[in-house]
């Protein structure tokens, strides 16, 4: 084959090397715009996994690279005058220039033609090539030439950064956070050879401008950075190798993602196709692994298998897309952590370091234990001590730290999330509910939520929904409360709601949110906006309707108090009545209850204040909200949810149950594990109100990491508690934690569970299955 690699970075050079190793008869040219020893980065980081791939692909260059590596295990986090050190991370770095020189020498040794100082504007000059690799970097001219085909999506991130070097060795991967009069500014630093370290300085654009860096040239920028971080430099001077750039060398990171990676015989590779933020150090990894996969697929598919090149390039694109998506997802998490870093500066240093280490979600709680058990156990003791208000030497998992709201004390931070059971008759719960809630009361969770319990007959979602608007309802719920309190340490919270425009629909195992076949009752809403074209058009509420519904909530709260509930939650999410007032998708009123967010929240706050007035002062009230309508600026956005939470806090709400969505049939949610937790994180740390995280939380690691990182105060698990009421007891056994309340009749099973869990843990498996 005749192959041309446009761009002499790691992707193009390594692909050329691998193809020459397959068959020396390949005619391969690498064309590079710069001179052989030019480079505009400092050090690059490669993982152990990537090095294993390099060894397998080309042992010769791999061993040369390994011989040049600078290796370190620790991460140092300098924050608020404290250095927090965590070990066992196993990074390796090498100078970008040295890496390129090694690859250049290996390519020439194998017969690859290297052409330097050649500016390529398009592929026309290489029309006779069988395969053209566009590896010409983040500003790829080849990608731009065929932009209508590749359809690049370039997201320019908000933070400013400058890539510097220093002749000082940082023996750990070092993060330095310094507070200036202009705001916080920080460093990512790591060694990459015997006397040089990368020194990346980053800050928010507001800080950058306030420090005068927006008008500073490179020399002034370096001087300012040296003044800020001088105590960490030991007298060494910072250096730039971006003198080719006019004026400032400050940049905004560009996240590149392409819909397609191939066009005819042209294929994108490395940064031309995708980028990953420097804070996770995976750009070079992705580039070289692109080269490995494409070289293998060309060999087995085209050369040995006789398949069409276009088919092979399609397979390459699809095979690499998933791996790139994983890395870019982690990189997005990391990028956003640094962009939103202001919300974490109130943390203590140890929690700040934990949040930093787990920011991308690639490093989990238990993964940190494998890397540095002593450090993590110290962090856990700090967390539990902070929860108790005193230092402790006990080793307790974060999920089993206590939590207090007003006078309600929870034994742990695991909650059984509200889940509609659709098993009541005329609002009256029955023996099913006794068994259902009783089983979960024995399962170890600190707090049990009831299903949404309706404040009136016409406020039900379905004919099977529970209510608390009659005396027999109240008596039935009192029986449940007494059973829960009699079976263990769990507290129980009654979730109160009114279905509003989503009422009079079929039960959950029929057709969700679809209207009844017959027997529909009248439904009300802030505006005559139906849930869907199939659903009823609700009647717009009058002031009399609003007064009646508010009175229903008050009466329901009074019944809940008499029944002995420890807490109540008002359901202001998921498109039900109060949510319909809050979201502009469903509230089209032109009076004082419509229009601005403040107006749309006016009636829900009226209801809360009326309920708070009759609910015992020693008992807390939660409010569940939809923090994102998933329809962009047309609905509630995460930014709006911060303001909603702020108004709820000012009104006296004790904790916010942060959910999302289910407010529009047009919503396009982005699912994934813990996918709603970022909304909880933002509200908790920007508003300063306790939160509950919900949404695809199902592993021990999820719960512990959310709590330790301060992303929520409680974790609500729904489906895991449907298939396993004893999830929390099993989580305790898996973590070797015995101080959790078991029903006395079940104690003979406790030791067997702990033995099985210990055996499973020895095999490195924390999945709850015993």
């Amino acid at each position: 084959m005749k192959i041309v690699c446009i761009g002499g970075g790691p992707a193009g050079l390594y692909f050329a090397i691998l193809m020459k190793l397959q068959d020396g008869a390949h005619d391969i040219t690498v064309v590079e715009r710069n001179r052989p020893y030019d480079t505009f980065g400092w050090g690059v980081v490669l993982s152990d996994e990537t090095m294993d791939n390099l060894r397998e692909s080309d042992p010769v260059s791999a061993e040369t690279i390994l011989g040049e590596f600078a290796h370190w295990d620790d991460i140092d986090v300098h924050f608020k005058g404290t250095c927090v050190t965590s070990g066992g991370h196993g990074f390796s770095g090498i100078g970008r220039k040295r890496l390129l020189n090694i690859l250049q020498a290996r390519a020439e040794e194998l017969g690859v033609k290297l052409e330097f100082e050649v500016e390529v504007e398009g592929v026309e000059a290489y029309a006779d090539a069988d395969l053209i690799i566009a590896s010409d970097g983040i500003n790829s001219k080849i990608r731009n030439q065929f932009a209508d085909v590749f359809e690049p999506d370039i997201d320019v991130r908000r933070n400013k950064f400058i890539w510097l070097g220093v002749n000082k060795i940082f023996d750990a991967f070092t993060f330095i956070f310094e507070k200036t009069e202009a705001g916080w500014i920080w460093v990512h630093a790591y060694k990459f050879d015997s006397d040089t370290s990368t020194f990346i300085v980053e800050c928010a654009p507001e800080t950058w401008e306030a420090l005068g860096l927006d008008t500073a040239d490179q020399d002034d920028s370096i001087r300012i950075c040296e003044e800020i971080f001088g105590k960490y430099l030991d007298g060494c001077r910072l250096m730039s190798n971006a003198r080719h750039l006019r004026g400032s060398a400050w940049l905004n990171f560009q996240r590149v993602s392409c819909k397609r990676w191939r066009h005819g015989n042209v294929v994108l590779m490395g940064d031309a196709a995708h980028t990953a933020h420097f804070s996770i150090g995976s750009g070079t990894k992705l580039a070289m692994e692109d080269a490995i996969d494409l070289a293998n697929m060309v060999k087995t598919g085209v050369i040995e298998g006789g398949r069409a090149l276009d088919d092979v390039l399609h397979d390459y694109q699809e095979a690499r897309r998933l791996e790139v998506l994983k890395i870019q997802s982690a990189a997005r998490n990391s990028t956003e952590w640094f962009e939103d870093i202001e919300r974490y500066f109130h943390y203590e240093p140890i929690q700040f370091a934990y949040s930093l280490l787990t920011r991308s979600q690639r490093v989990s709680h238990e993964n940190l234990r494998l890397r540095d058990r002593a450090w993590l156990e110290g962090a856990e003791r700090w967390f539990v001590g902070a929860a108790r208000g005193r230092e402790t030497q006990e080793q307790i998992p974060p999920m089993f730290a206590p939590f207090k709201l007003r006078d309600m004390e929870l034994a742990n931070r695991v909650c059984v999330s509200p889940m509609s059971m659709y098993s009541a008759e005329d609002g009256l719960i029955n023996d099913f509910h006794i068994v259902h809630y009783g089983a979960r009361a024995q399962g170890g969770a600190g707090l049990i939520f009831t299903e949404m319990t309706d404040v009136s007959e016409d406020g039900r979602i379905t004919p099977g929904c529970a209510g608390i608007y009659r005396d027999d309802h109240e008596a039935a719920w009192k029986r449940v409360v007494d059973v829960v309190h009699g079976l263990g340490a769990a507290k129980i919270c009654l979730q109160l709601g009114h279905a509003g425009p989503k009422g009079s629909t079929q039960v959950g195992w029929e057709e969700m949110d679809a209207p009844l076949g017959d027997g529909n009752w009248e439904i009300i809403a802030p505006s005559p906006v139906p849930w869907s074209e199939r659903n009823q058009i609700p009647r717009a509420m009058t002031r009399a309707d609003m007064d009646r519904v508010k009175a229903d909530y008050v009466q329901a709260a009074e019944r809940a108090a008499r029944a002995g509930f420890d807490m109540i939650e008002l359901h202001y999410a998921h498109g039900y009545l109060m949510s319909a007032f809050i979201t502009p998708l469903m509230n089209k009123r032109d009076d004082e209850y419509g229009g601005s967010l403040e107006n749309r929240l006016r009636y829900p706050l009226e209801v809360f204040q009326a309920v708070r007035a009759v609910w015992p002062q020693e008992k807390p009230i939660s409010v569940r909200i939809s923090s994102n309508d998933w329809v962009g600026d047309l609905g509630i956005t995460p930014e709006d949810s911060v303001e909603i939470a702020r108004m709820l806090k000012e009104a006296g709400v004790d904790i916010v149950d942060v959910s999302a969505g289910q407010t529009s049939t047009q919503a396009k949610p982005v699912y994934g594990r813990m996918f709603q937790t970022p909304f909880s994180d933002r509200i908790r740390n920007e508003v300063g109100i306790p939160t509950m995280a919900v949404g695809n939380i199902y592993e021990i690691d999820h719960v512990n990491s959310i709590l330790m990182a301060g992303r929520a105060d409680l974790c609500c698990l729904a489906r895991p508690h449907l298939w396993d009421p004893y999830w929390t007891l099993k989580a305790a056994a898996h973590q070797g934690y015995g101080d959790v309340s078991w029903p006395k009749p079940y104690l003979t099973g406790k030791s067997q569970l702990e033995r099985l869990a210990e055996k499973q843990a020895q095999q490195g498996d924390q999945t709850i299955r015993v």
Side-chain angles (χ1 to χ4, degrees), residues 422-436:
Y422 309 112
S423 299
E425 296 181 13
D426 294 326
L428 182 63
I429 60 173
N430 50 50
D431 289 347
F432 167 82
H433 297 83
I434 295 291
V435 174
H436 172 70

Side-chain angles (χ1 to χ4, degrees), residues 154-289:
I154 301 176
D155 180 17
V156 180
R157 306 304 304 193
R158 73 182 304 269
N159 278 3
K160 308 295 293 190
F161 73 95
I162 186 169
W163 203 299
L164 303 171
V166 62
N167 290 131
K168 169 185 163 58
I169 299 301
F170 289 93
D171 290 323
F173 196 112
T174 301
F175 293 97
I176 304 168
F177 298 87
E178 284 292 308
K179 186 176 184 180
T180 71
E181 291 183 358
W184 287 84
I185 185 169
W186 53 92
V187 165
H188 315 240
Y190 55 90
K191 64 182 178 181
F192 61 83
D193 62 25
S194 60
D195 59 6
T196 319
S197 295
T198 295
F199 200 88
I200 303 171
V201 182
E202 183 183 9
C203 62
E206 297 82 5
T207 303
W208 180 69
E209 292 179 3
L211 287 170
L213 293 166
D214 57 329
T215 57
D217 60 19
Q218 292 189 44
D219 290 333
D220 286 338
S221 290
I222 286 174
R223 177 185 54 77
I224 292 169
C225 291
E226 286 176 342
E227 289 175 357
I228 295 171
F229 299 106
K231 63 184 176 182
Y232 303 99
L233 296 175
D234 297 337
C236 297
R237 302 299 304 275
L238 294 176
M239 303 176 290
S240 171
N241 59 8
R243 297 296 181 180
H244 61 294
L245 297 176
R246 292 183 179 179
S248 173
W250 290 89
L251 304 170
N252 292 79
F253 181 78
Q254 299 181 57
R255 194 273 297 141
V256 174
S257 179
C258 295
K259 186 173 183 179
R260 298 177 192 85
W261 297 7
R262 74 191 207 287
H263 173 52
N265 67 338
V266 180
V267 60
L268 302 177
M269 189 178 288
D271 283 354
H274 46 69
T275 58
H277 193 256
F278 58 83
S279 62
I280 68 166
S282 292
T284 303
K285 163 192 168 68
L286 286 176
M288 298 185 80
E289 290 178 353

Side-chain angles (χ1 to χ4, degrees), residues 35-349:
R35 295 173 298 180
Y37 294 98
D38 283 350
T39 186
F40 305 112
W42 290 92
V44 298
V45 178
L46 296 175
S47 68
D48 291 343
E49 178 188 17
T50 302
M51 284 311 305
D52 288 341
N53 291 335
L54 298 186
R55 284 192 197 92
E56 185 176 342
S57 301
D58 179 23
V60 174
S61 60
E63 290 307 312
T64 306
I65 293 169
L66 276 171
E68 301 280 346
F69 261 155
H71 183 84
W72 63 95
D73 286 309
D74 291 347
I75 293 178
D76 284 351
V77 181
H78 295 268
F79 180 63
K80 293 183 177 177
T82 299
C83 179
V84 178
T85 300
S86 168
H89 298 280
F91 292 97
S92 295
I94 186 172
R96 178 175 170 82
K97 180 186 291 188
R98 184 61 188 133
L99 175 64
L100 293 178
N101 293 161
I102 291 170
L103 297 179
Q104 289 163 359
R106 180 62 169 154
E108 287 185 315
E109 174 188 322
L110 294 170
V112 175
K113 288 175 282 186
L114 304 181
E115 297 181 2
F116 294 99
E117 299 182 75
V118 176
E119 193 73 52
V120 179
E121 301 293 340
V123 300
E124 293 77 13
Y126 307 103
D128 59 339
D130 298 304
L131 177 62
I132 298 173
I133 304 298
S135 51
D136 51 340
I138 193 169
N139 297 311
S140 170
K141 291 185 176 181
I142 307 305
R143 185 190 66 222
N144 293 340
Q145 182 182 8
F146 301 110
D148 58 330
V149 176
F150 295 129
E151 295 188 49
D153 175 15
I154 301 176
D155 180 17
V156 180
R157 306 304 304 193
R158 73 182 304 269
N159 278 3
K160 308 295 293 190
F161 73 95
I162 186 169
W163 203 299
L164 303 171
V166 62
N167 290 131
K168 169 185 163 58
I169 299 301
F170 289 93
D171 290 323
F173 196 112
T174 301
F175 293 97
I176 304 168
F177 298 87
E178 284 292 308
K179 186 176 184 180
T180 71
E181 291 183 358
W184 287 84
I185 185 169
W186 53 92
V187 165
H188 315 240
Y190 55 90
K191 64 182 178 181
F192 61 83
D193 62 25
S194 60
D195 59 6
T196 319
S197 295
T198 295
F199 200 88
I200 303 171
V201 182
E202 183 183 9
C203 62
E206 297 82 5
T207 303
W208 180 69
E209 292 179 3
L211 287 170
L213 293 166
D214 57 329
T215 57
D217 60 19
Q218 292 189 44
D219 290 333
D220 286 338
S221 290
I222 286 174
R223 177 185 54 77
I224 292 169
C225 291
E226 286 176 342
E227 289 175 357
I228 295 171
F229 299 106
K231 63 184 176 182
Y232 303 99
L233 296 175
D234 297 337
C236 297
R237 302 299 304 275
L238 294 176
M239 303 176 290
S240 171
N241 59 8
R243 297 296 181 180
H244 61 294
L245 297 176
R246 292 183 179 179
S248 173
W250 290 89
L251 304 170
N252 292 79
F253 181 78
Q254 299 181 57
R255 194 273 297 141
V256 174
S257 179
C258 295
K259 186 173 183 179
R260 298 177 192 85
W261 297 7
R262 74 191 207 287
H263 173 52
N265 67 338
V266 180
V267 60
L268 302 177
M269 189 178 288
D271 283 354
H274 46 69
T275 58
H277 193 256
F278 58 83
S279 62
I280 68 166
S282 292
T284 303
K285 163 192 168 68
L286 286 176
M288 298 185 80
E289 290 178 353
D290 281 353
I292 291 169
D293 283 1
L294 182 57
N296 288 337
M297 295 174 81
V298 169
K299 177 184 177 183
T300 59
V302 178
I303 298 171
E304 296 176 353
R307 297 179 63 207
L309 176 64
D310 188 64
D311 291 340
V312 171
L313 295 183
H314 172 270
D315 291 350
Y316 157 76
Q317 170 185 288
E318 296 310 306
R320 289 299 296 160
R321 189 183 297 281
L322 180 58
E323 178 62 21
V324 169
L325 182 62
K326 291 177 182 176
I327 296 294
Q328 286 195 321
S329 177
R332 182 193 66 243
N333 293 337
S334 181
T335 305
E336 291 177 352
W337 190 89
F338 283 104
E339 289 177 345
D340 298 329
I341 200 169
E342 289 283 344
R343 70 173 65 142
Y344 307 115
F345 284 139
H346 68 281
Y347 280 10
E348 291 298 313

Side-chain angles (χ1 to χ4, degrees), residues 621-764:
I621 299 180
S622 166
V623 172
R624 170 172 275 207
I625 66 171
S626 283
S627 56
N628 191 345
D629 285 340
W630 301 110
V631 293
D633 292 336
L634 297 176
I636 293 295
T637 65
E639 291 79 9
D640 293 328
S641 72
V642 171
E643 294 309 310
I644 292 169
R646 187 168 282 117
M647 285 187 270
L648 292 176
K649 178 184 178 182
E650 290 172 357
V653 171
D654 297 291
I655 188 168
V656 179
D657 188 349
V658 187
S659 188
Q662 302 181 53
T663 56
S664 170
T665 57
Q666 304 303 310
K668 295 181 180 179
V670 180
Y671 292 115
R673 57 197 176 104
M674 304 179 283
F675 72 107
Q676 294 175 159
T677 300
F679 307 135
S680 166
D681 182 347
R682 180 171 188 174
I683 287 172
R684 180 183 187 271
N685 290 300
E686 290 189 16
V687 178
I689 187 171
T691 61
M692 292 180 272
V694 304
N696 214 19
I697 300 169
Y698 55 87
E699 291 185 357
I700 294 170
D701 247 12
H702 297 168
V703 177
N704 283 331
S705 65
I706 288 169
L707 297 171
M708 271 291 298
R711 306 179 80 192
D713 298 276
L714 299 173
C715 286
C716 300
L717 287 71
R719 289 177 177 85
H721 280 121
L722 286 181
W723 55 257
D724 190 351
Y726 303 99
W727 189 93
T728 308
L729 292 181
K730 292 181 178 180
H734 274 268
Q735 297 173 91
Y737 180 68
D739 191 16
V740 61
S741 177
W742 273 72
K744 288 184 172 62
Y746 293 178
L747 285 175
T748 54
K750 179 174 184 286
S751 58
Q752 184 181 32
L753 172 63
E754 290 172 341
R755 287 195 303 272
L756 292 171
E758 183 179 3
K759 184 182 297 184
Q760 194 175 318
Q762 289 171 352
Q763 298 169 350

Side-chain angles (χ1 to χ4, degrees), residues 525-679:
S527 303
V529 178
W531 169 247
S532 76
E533 293 180 355
R534 295 178 57 194
N535 291 77
Q536 295 181 67
I537 297 176
R539 178 171 60 80
M541 293 175 69
T542 64
R543 182 66 247 186
D545 292 321
M546 295 165 71
D547 290 340
R548 175 177 63 84
V549 169
K550 180 166 66 173
D552 289 339
Y553 269 94
V554 169
Q555 184 183 66
E558 291 172 333
R559 291 187 182 279
R562 290 194 295 267
F565 282 97
D566 302 293
M567 173 177 168
I568 56 175
E569 175 169 282
L570 304 185
H571 199 335
Y572 286 8
H574 299 170
Y576 300 125
L577 183 61
M578 295 300 158
S579 173
F581 268 94
I582 296 170
T583 175
L585 298 173
M586 305 176 83
N587 185 341
K588 306 298 181 182
R589 299 177 74 99
D590 58 8
D591 61 6
E592 65 269 35
Y593 296 100
S596 68
L597 178 59
E598 183 179 7
N599 282 356
R600 299 196 309 271
L601 201 59
R602 189 185 304 274
Y603 180 61
L605 286 176
E606 283 182 14
V607 171
F608 166 76
Q609 288 160 348
V611 167
R612 181 71 267 181
V614 301
W615 183 244
Q617 287 299 304
E618 71 275 10
K619 294 185 177 184
I621 299 180
S622 166
V623 172
R624 170 172 275 207
I625 66 171
S626 283
S627 56
N628 191 345
D629 285 340
W630 301 110
V631 293
D633 292 336
L634 297 176
I636 293 295
T637 65
E639 291 79 9
D640 293 328
S641 72
V642 171
E643 294 309 310
I644 292 169
R646 187 168 282 117
M647 285 187 270
L648 292 176
K649 178 184 178 182
E650 290 172 357
V653 171
D654 297 291
I655 188 168
V656 179
D657 188 349
V658 187
S659 188
Q662 302 181 53
T663 56
S664 170
T665 57
Q666 304 303 310
K668 295 181 180 179
V670 180
Y671 292 115
R673 57 197 176 104
M674 304 179 283
F675 72 107
Q676 294 175 159
T677 300
F679 307 135

